[in-house]
Amino acid sequence: MPAGIAHPTVQLVSGGQLEAIAEFDLDVSHIKDDDQQLINAVLTHDRVLGQMFTQTVLLPLRFGTQFTSRDALRTYLQTHQASYLQRLEVLGDKAEYLVKLAPNPLKLPPLDETLKGRDYFLAKKKRLQLQAQAQAQQDEELQRFLAHLQTTGVAFVQSTPQEGEERFHILSMRDIAIAEAQLTAWQQLVPSWQLYCSEPLPPYHFAM
């Protein structure tokens, strides 16, 4: 078992056919009052989930989920057993992948600074038109990619873009070879973007 936030190992708590990974005797209020401790706790939560995901199928609960006692956790597992087992069956051979689309840099011809007057204006106008066309192509390819995900029934969650990159959390096969083949096919849909894919992750966005 991996190390927890404040203890050498986390613990398993059984409830019917389910088991939960938990850490007890943890002063959550103290962690919330210290930004650095809070960051470390979030990173530890992700590390534990990632490590356990390499060993078994799991449903990651949100960071900060709390239960008043072991008995309360057991009762929770038993109460939600049917729905959770059904969800585990769906996710058993799948993983979440963070797929990022970064637009390729626009390759525009340099503006000839020796041009004067009307010639300079026309050259600048043409350059702006090429830039607009390239951006329109990227937008069209992005919409094509979205339509492909929707029509092929791929489960995904689109996140807010960061630093110009489009971000998608995609549920796919846990077999990395299958996921890479799928990524290669997607790249052909968006030639003016560069696709990047994470390692297989616990299904954070698809657990419930």
Side-chain angles (χ1 to χ4, degrees):
M1 299 296 290
I5 295 170
H7 298 86
T9 62
V10 293
Q11 300 178 38
L12 283 179
V13 176
S14 297
Q17 298 180 57
L18 298 174
E19 287 185 320
I21 305 162
E23 184 170 6
F24 297 98
D25 303 321
L26 191 64
D27 187 353
V28 177
S29 61
H30 182 67
I31 293 174
K32 290 180 178 179
D33 292 336
D34 187 314
D35 289 344
Q36 188 58 52
Q37 286 196 48
L38 182 59
I39 292 172
N40 291 338
V42 171
L43 294 176
T44 299
H45 180 259
D46 286 346
R47 174 181 55 76
V48 169
L49 289 175
Q51 185 171 335
M52 296 304 298
F53 185 62
T54 64
Q55 304 176 39
T56 186
V57 182
L58 56 80
L59 298 176
L61 295 183
R62 291 182 179 276
F63 171 78
T65 302
Q66 295 177 261
F67 295 89
T68 56
S69 65
R70 287 174 174 80
D71 288 339
L73 177 52
R74 289 191 184 95
T75 300
Y76 178 85
L77 294 175
Q78 293 166 354
T79 301
H80 295 83
Q81 179 169 275
S83 60
Y84 280 178
L85 287 175
Q86 184 179 25
R87 197 66 187 143
L88 284 168
E89 185 175 355
V90 171
L91 298 174
D93 57 352
K94 296 181 175 62
E96 178 176 326
Y97 296 87
L98 173 59
V99 175
K100 296 187 288 187
L101 279 69
N104 292 329
L106 300 181
K107 297 180 180 179
L108 299 175
L111 193 60
D112 188 352
E113 299 294 340
T114 64
L115 296 175
K116 303 294 182 182
R118 178 177 175 80
D119 290 338
Y120 178 82
F121 171 78
L122 291 175
K124 187 174 182 180
K125 181 180 179 181
K126 182 177 180 180
R127 195 169 187 273
L128 291 173
Q129 288 174 338
L130 291 173
Q131 183 178 10
Q133 290 172 1
Q135 291 176 338
Q137 179 181 347
Q138 289 179 344
D139 291 342
E140 181 182 346
E141 290 176 4
L142 180 60
Q143 294 306 313
R144 184 193 310 158
F145 177 68
L146 277 167
H148 174 78
L149 294 181
Q150 293 166 347
T151 56
T152 55
V154 175
F156 72 95
V157 175
Q158 185 174 9
S159 295
T160 303
Q162 294 185 14
E163 299 179 352
E165 292 182 342
E166 299 290 336
R167 299 164 63 89
F168 297 87
H169 303 276
I170 292 178
L171 188 68
S172 186
M173 300 304 293
R174 195 164 180 170
D175 187 326
I176 189 65
I178 296 176
E180 287 177 348
Q182 193 173 43
L183 191 71
T184 300
W186 289 342
Q187 181 66 79
Q188 296 175 0
L189 295 173
V190 287
S192 64
W193 298 77
Q194 182 61 52
L195 267 66
Y196 301 94
C197 184
S198 71
E199 293 296 314
L201 301 170
Y204 296 107
H205 292 81
F206 307 96
M208 303 304 169

